[in-house]
Every structure is written in C-alpha cells, then in structure tokens.
Amino acid sequence: MTETDRRDGREDRRDPDDAAARADGGRPRVAVVACGGTIASEPGDDGAAPEKTGDDLVEAVPAVSDHARVTTREVCSQPGFDVRWRDVLATATAARNAVAEGADGVVVTHGTDTLADTAFALDLLTDLDAPVVVTGAQRRLDEPSSDVPANLALAVRAAADDRFAPGVHVAFDDELHAARDVVKGHSNALSTMTSPGTGPVATFTRAASRLVRAPERGVAVDPLADAIGGAADVPEVPVIHSGTGVGAGALERALDAGVGGIVVEGTGLGNVTGALGDAIGEAVESVPVVVAGRPPAGPTEPVYGTPGGAVTLADRGVTFAGDLPAAKARVALALGLAAELDSEGIEALFAPA
C-alpha cells in the first residue's frame, strides 16, 4: 500500500459532519482492542488474572482523551502466556473492522509474554492505512508504580499519529518499536520491550516525539488474513533447539506427530549439531524447515560446512529466518502454511521488508 493510498484512505474515513468533528476538537478516533494480559489483570487468591475490560482501562486512564476520541472492543481476556491462534486472528479482524468503520488508529492491549508474537502476527495478517499499536504492562493498576497509565496513554498517542500508519508497532516505556524487531527482553523490568540490533522507531517525552527511523511494515508480502479460514487452519509448528549434545530425537518425534513444519533454533549464524543436521536433511523432504539463530541480534548466514553447518543446511533446502528470532519464525511459518503459501511465498516471509 502506497502513501497516497494511505492518505486517500484517511480522507475517506473523515467524519461526514465536519462541524461535529471540530466541536470535539478534531481529535482522531482510536479504537482500543482489549485482549487481556497484565494490563487488565487484578490480584486474586489463586494469583493475578485478566479481569478488566477495555472500557475499564480507558476509564482508569483519563489521559487517553487528551490524544483521541476512544472507543473499545473486546476480543478476549487471556493472560499473555496463553494466547491462542483464534485470539490472534480475532484481533486482526477487530483491527481491520475498526479501521473500516472509521477509526484513525488502533491500540491492542495484550499480555507481555507473547506481545511481540502477536504484534508480528498482525504485521503478517494486515496492512492497514492507519496505525496499529500494541501495548501492555509489567505492573497491574493496583501495584506501586504501575506502568499501565503511561503505556496506554503512549499507545493511544502513537495510534492517533498517522506518521505511524505503515506497519504494526509496540508502545512501551516511552518508546515505539517495530513489530518485526521487538522482543521481550526482561521478565519484569518496565523497560522490557527492546529491539536488539535496530533500536526503537521513535522515542517520546511528555511534550514531543522523535522519529529515529522510518516506520514500515516488517514484511513485504500481501496480508495473509483473507487467505486463512480460521484457527483450525493453523498447523502445529514446533521449535527444536540446537546446542551442546543435541541429537535428532526431538525432530524425529515432531515428524512422527505429523507437524506442519519445523523451526530450528540454531546457534550463531544458523548452525546445528551434526546429528540434527542429518535429520534436517531428511525432514525437508516432507515438511518445510526454517532455521533461525540463537543470538538476540544479527542474521542467519551460510558460512560453515560440516554436517550441521549452515552451508550444508542450505544445500539441503532449508529456509533461513534472516534476522527473525525462532519465536517469530514460528509465527511466520505457521501463518504462511495456514495461508497455503508455496515455497517461494514461505521464503518471502523471512526476507527483509
């Protein structure tokens, strides 16, 4: 989608009653799509769990109205560690519907454990002419120094800014990160969201924002949402870890279970043990195999020979994940298979945008 297309799309979504828009200060319209997570959680005798709705969150953070006219939509109320494919697909549908119905931006509230996965999935599934910003929190609203108010207000602020229309972004701790690059870097620090190797797209202060690099969609493929019928179409794609002493057993058991594809988390530039390399050579005859690297930054690249070296793996027909970590490579492969992409289409999912 070109910038002209995006601008024309925004023009089409303007209020038919301009006078009413001016009376409301001309603020953009932002739809909050609620998916649970710590940002929506409350304490309980059996541990914290998502309880708050999108309306609850917006009511608790009145500062969001400084930036936009906000409406809410409920998709699910899941902890970040238990998000399902049906939740991801429903979130994509909710974002698309919100924009089609006139929203100038979309905020998705989500648990941080898989926030980066869902943000990247939305980048694969959609290509909207309005900003889509995913956010969450490390501390609940009832906890001291909660980051819920700051992160939600930041996300609405970014979603109301049409500079961030290309691609999906993550708003956290005064920074905006690209969905392709962002990872959860710390289990409980407020600055958990980070983009190893690239850094944020933008930084924010109370009064201003600074664009560090150009916002863009993280993949150069057509959006996949319309090609996927439902969650039942998304196949099982396990991640097999390579490391000291790893053999072929885990990969062989995955094949016996009838998985749709396999992601291998290799070491360094995308190398694996010799035993695993031999097994991969046989596996590619029946399922697609994608090899990612273990380091938090840097690409996969065929340099080394030997049975498990990336040169040998390339000769055997694996696809390399580029700079995507194994978790996101799994998201890309699973959704690509669900959309019935051919081998070239699968490879395109991992190419630089």
Side-chain angles (χ1 to χ4, degrees):
M1 182 177 292
T2 67
E3 183 56 36
T4 299
D5 293 333
R6 297 184 194 281
R7 184 172 59 251
D8 290 345
R10 290 193 293 271
E11 293 284 342
D12 291 341
R13 294 198 310 277
R14 285 180 177 171
D15 278 342
D17 186 351
D18 288 338
R22 286 194 299 273
D24 196 34
R27 291 174 299 162
R29 293 159 294 187
V30 170
V32 172
V33 177
C35 299
T38 296
I39 193 171
S41 288
E42 295 181 354
D45 293 339
D46 297 324
E51 297 288 347
K52 296 184 185 299
T53 65
D55 283 338
D56 293 334
L57 291 174
V58 170
E59 183 178 351
V61 187
V64 300
S65 63
D66 293 341
H67 308 291
R69 293 170 283 164
V70 178
T71 59
T72 64
R73 299 165 184 246
E74 302 296 319
V75 165
C76 63
S77 188
Q78 292 293 110
F81 51 81
D82 196 22
V83 173
R84 304 153 298 188
W85 283 120
R86 71 189 189 202
D87 304 323
V88 174
L89 296 175
T91 302
T93 297
R96 297 172 77 195
N97 288 345
V99 173
E101 293 165 15
D104 297 298
V106 176
V107 168
V108 176
T109 57
H110 196 285
T112 59
D113 279 3
T114 54
L115 188 152
D117 290 0
T118 294
F120 183 55
L122 293 175
D123 227 6
L124 291 161
L125 293 166
T126 66
D127 184 13
L128 300 174
D129 62 352
V132 177
V133 181
V134 188
T135 195
Q138 292 284 75
R139 296 178 187 167
R140 305 184 307 270
L141 268 169
D142 64 289
E143 294 184 288
S145 301
S146 171
D147 54 339
V148 172
N151 286 346
L152 183 58
L154 172 65
V156 171
R157 182 178 169 188
D161 187 337
D162 62 13
R163 290 180 302 166
F164 304 120
V168 178
H169 294 87
V170 169
F172 228 91
D173 196 32
D174 291 336
E175 293 182 337
L176 199 71
H177 295 265
R180 181 186 181 96
D181 303 325
V182 72
V183 298
K184 182 172 182 175
H186 195 284
S187 60
N188 63 6
L190 300 188
S191 57
T192 181
M193 294 299 166
T194 182
S195 296
T198 61
V201 170
T203 59
F204 292 76
T205 65
R206 291 179 181 86
S209 61
R210 175 173 175 258
L211 200 63
V212 178
R213 55 193 177 97
E216 62 180 356
R217 186 165 175 252
V219 288
V221 298
D222 291 335
L224 302 180
D226 287 336
I228 300 174
D233 295 336
V234 185
E236 183 70 23
V237 175
V239 176
I240 306 296
H241 171 86
S242 183
T244 303
V246 170
L251 188 144
E252 292 170 350
R253 289 189 292 273
L255 292 175
D256 290 342
V259 298
I262 293 172
V263 171
V264 177
E265 185 188 59
T267 53
L269 292 164
N271 309 298
V272 302
T273 63
L276 188 53
D278 288 339
I280 289 171
E282 297 180 9
V284 294
E285 298 178 6
S286 56
V287 297
V289 177
V290 175
V291 176
R294 188 195 302 179
T300 47
E301 189 173 274
V303 173
Y304 294 98
T306 78
V311 170
T312 305
L313 298 179
D315 290 342
R316 289 176 170 173
V318 307
T319 296
F320 288 100
D323 59 357
L324 285 179
K328 288 184 181 176
R330 173 183 170 273
V331 168
L333 181 56
L335 292 177
L337 291 172
E340 299 183 345
L341 298 183
D342 58 18
S343 59
E344 290 186 3
I346 294 293
E347 289 184 6
L349 295 173
F350 303 98

